[in-house]
Amino acid sequence: MNLSRERVAAPADPPVKRVVLEVVNFALVGGSGVAVNFLVFNVLVHGLHRAAMVATVLASLIAMGTNYLGFRYFTYRDRASRTRRQMVLFFVFSGIGVAMESGLFYAGYHGLGLAGPFESNAVKAASIVLASAFRFLVYRTWVFQHDAHRA
């Protein structure tokens, strides 16, 4: 009688389910980053009366730092381990995202004159959404790649 048992590997999640889960986790981390972004922005602009462009860039940079931790240790924890290359790519692409977000914000705030408390936050929200679509694509494609040995 053979008492050895073969271990059957658990079936892998279907690709669509993996992407949906990834989008949900990205949204959770991104949502916390958006909260940080709005909090810092509103404190600087509407509380401390700082320049809107300085406030939006600083808020975005602070959110970028908190997002790196969330993406690395939550959303993409199953991806390749942290490397210098990964960190450089994250901050380069995030910097591009901050530039996109700031440019879009500038166009709405200064170009369209949407400078009131409600309007400035609506412009900030739209700029975050558009820049986040770019970030999602580049983070999953180039920054937090699947480890070839684990995939």
Side-chain angles (χ1 to χ4, degrees):
M1 180 168 165
N2 188 354
L3 297 177
S4 66
R5 294 183 183 171
E6 288 185 33
R7 289 192 168 214
V8 177
D13 289 333
V16 171
K17 182 178 177 184
R18 280 190 305 237
V19 171
V20 168
L21 184 59
E22 183 179 335
V23 169
V24 168
N25 288 341
F26 184 90
L28 289 172
V29 171
S32 68
V34 168
V36 167
N37 200 328
F38 273 104
L39 177 67
V40 172
F41 173 76
N42 280 290
V43 165
L44 291 173
V45 171
H46 303 296
L48 300 175
H49 307 289
R50 300 293 186 243
M53 288 309 298
V54 171
T56 198
V57 170
L58 283 175
S60 296
L61 291 173
I62 291 168
M64 177 180 22
T66 61
N67 281 354
Y68 176 77
L69 297 173
F71 291 136
R72 177 67 207 111
Y73 296 105
F74 178 69
T75 303
Y76 298 114
R77 67 183 173 274
D78 63 329
R79 302 278 176 107
S81 60
R82 181 179 59 88
T83 63
R84 201 169 290 160
R85 178 183 179 277
Q86 181 187 74
M87 291 174 72
V88 167
L89 285 174
F90 178 86
F91 287 104
V92 165
F93 286 127
S94 292
I96 293 168
V98 169
M100 290 172 62
E101 184 181 322
S102 299
L104 293 165
F105 179 80
Y106 182 88
Y109 189 86
H110 291 292
L112 299 175
L114 302 173
F118 176 77
E119 294 89 355
S120 64
N121 279 285
V123 169
K124 181 78 172 155
S127 67
I128 289 171
V129 167
L130 293 171
S132 292
F134 163 78
R135 290 177 180 120
F136 175 75
L137 292 173
V138 298
Y139 291 168
R140 76 180 311 268
T141 303
W142 291 298
V143 179
F144 299 103
Q145 297 177 334
H146 280 288
D147 187 346
H149 300 292
R150 289 189 237 170

